[in-house]
Amino acid sequence: MWELFEKSLKSRLLLGTSRYPSPEVLKKSILSSNAGIITVSLRRSSGGEGNPFWEMLNSLGVQVLPNTAGCHSVNEAVTTAQMAREIFGTNWLKLEVIGDDYTLIPNPSALVEAAEILCRDGFEVFPYMTEDLTLAEKLLEAGCKILMPWASPIGSGQGIVNPLALKTLREKFPEVPMVVDAGIGSPSHAAHAMELGFDGVLLNTAVATSLDPIKMARAFALAIEGGREGYLSGIMEQRDFAHASTPVVGTPFWHNERRDDSSQ
């Protein structure tokens, strides 16, 4: 279990709900993943009673995290957040304020400004950000209690392109919950994030667009669980040279003696 903002979550996997081939595949993928949180974009789906998509998600009993995907300004993000809270009935919010349509990189200044407004308004803001240390500090000062640094650009599937920066961010704020968000393309990428000490992983495209989203969702669930257990158990440090795993002290050795035929 993962305790987050006074809620008990059944796993550390956060799963997006867009781009699936059908609502039924989405439903089965969520169940297969055992996801603790699912993200929903207000711009892609209107929630509330009477909407089949929302009612299907609500029936699963999974914590919903609305997001402001597609917003490019502070006003746009804040307005979308307020609408999402009313429709989905939660003050949890994944905050996205995009600064560039090509890379979908967050706009740092707009992100901080929007976060400050929303935190004052009672939201639990999950800010989508780069792995920038200074940006992390400003978001925490704005009132955020959790951070969501990317592994690489959204939908790229590149995995963690700057592990040193993510590791530094994790070590700088050891008590702050952190979820790696965006760029995760394979279960091994998710396991890597968890082995670095992150609290969770958010992904969407890698599951939704795979040949078998239901099986892939399960694969990610196992990878995240394994990565977390590995981190808690203590990952061995890398060495520059070989180191025998079998002890040699007290082990008998037999040497073949060379015969000197000339002495015969």
Side-chain angles (χ1 to χ4, degrees):
M1 300 294 288
W2 180 23
E3 299 295 326
L4 184 65
F5 300 138
E6 300 182 353
K7 291 185 180 292
S8 296
L9 306 173
K10 55 188 177 181
S11 87
R12 295 171 181 271
L13 171 60
L14 293 79
L15 190 64
T17 56
S18 67
R19 303 187 66 183
Y20 288 82
S22 71
E24 184 63 21
V25 171
L26 167 60
K27 178 180 179 179
K28 291 181 178 179
S29 297
I30 293 172
L31 294 173
S32 178
S33 72
N34 198 38
I37 297 174
I38 53 176
T39 63
V40 181
S41 171
L42 182 62
R43 293 178 169 235
R44 299 192 185 101
S45 169
S46 58
E49 295 183 4
N51 179 281
F53 179 74
W54 168 241
E55 290 186 348
M56 182 272 288
L57 294 179
N58 197 38
S59 70
L60 300 177
V62 181
Q63 174 67 41
V64 172
L65 179 66
N67 67 47
T68 61
C71 292
H72 291 74
S73 69
V74 173
N75 184 62
E76 193 177 13
V78 170
T79 301
T80 301
Q82 292 168 340
M83 293 172 61
R85 179 165 61 182
E86 181 177 346
I87 291 172
F88 294 107
T90 178
N91 63 349
W92 286 24
L93 179 82
K94 178 186 172 184
L95 178 62
E96 296 183 35
V97 186
I98 301 303
D100 177 71
D101 286 327
Y102 181 70
T103 62
L104 299 180
I105 192 170
N107 181 325
S109 58
L111 182 65
V112 172
E113 184 179 348
E116 189 172 13
I117 294 170
L118 293 170
C119 287
R120 286 201 308 263
D121 196 24
F123 283 89
E124 293 291 1
V125 177
F126 294 57
Y128 163 64
M129 54 176 287
T130 60
E131 67 276 72
D132 183 82
L133 188 60
T134 301
L135 177 56
E137 291 175 335
K138 291 184 178 299
L139 286 167
L140 293 173
E141 291 171 358
C144 296
K145 300 173 185 175
I146 186 171
L147 298 174
M148 300 183 73
W150 71 359
S152 50
I154 293 175
S156 69
Q158 296 177 30
I160 299 175
V161 297
N162 195 343
L164 180 58
L166 279 180
K167 184 179 179 181
T168 301
L169 187 63
R170 174 71 283 178
E171 293 174 350
K172 175 69 174 179
F173 305 106
E175 304 302 321
V176 177
M178 292 190 192
V179 173
V180 173
D181 175 17
I184 299 295
S186 70
S188 62
H189 295 162
H192 185 193
M194 298 304 294
E195 289 171 355
L196 289 175
F198 285 86
D199 299 280
V201 174
L202 194 160
L203 55 102
N204 187 162
T205 307
V207 170
T209 63
S210 66
L211 295 177
D212 190 331
I214 300 168
K215 286 185 178 180
M216 186 61 77
R218 180 58 180 161
F220 272 105
L222 294 172
I224 289 172
E225 182 178 345
R228 179 65 179 178
E229 290 297 313
Y231 169 72
L232 294 176
S233 301
I235 305 294
M236 71 172 288
E237 295 182 1
Q238 294 185 7
R239 299 187 177 99
D240 293 332
F241 302 98
H243 184 80
S245 58
T246 303
V248 296
V249 176
T251 303
F253 289 88
W254 290 267
H255 299 280
N256 292 323
E257 296 183 357
R258 297 178 58 186
R259 294 183 59 187
D260 189 352
D261 292 335
S262 63
S263 65
Q264 298 295 320

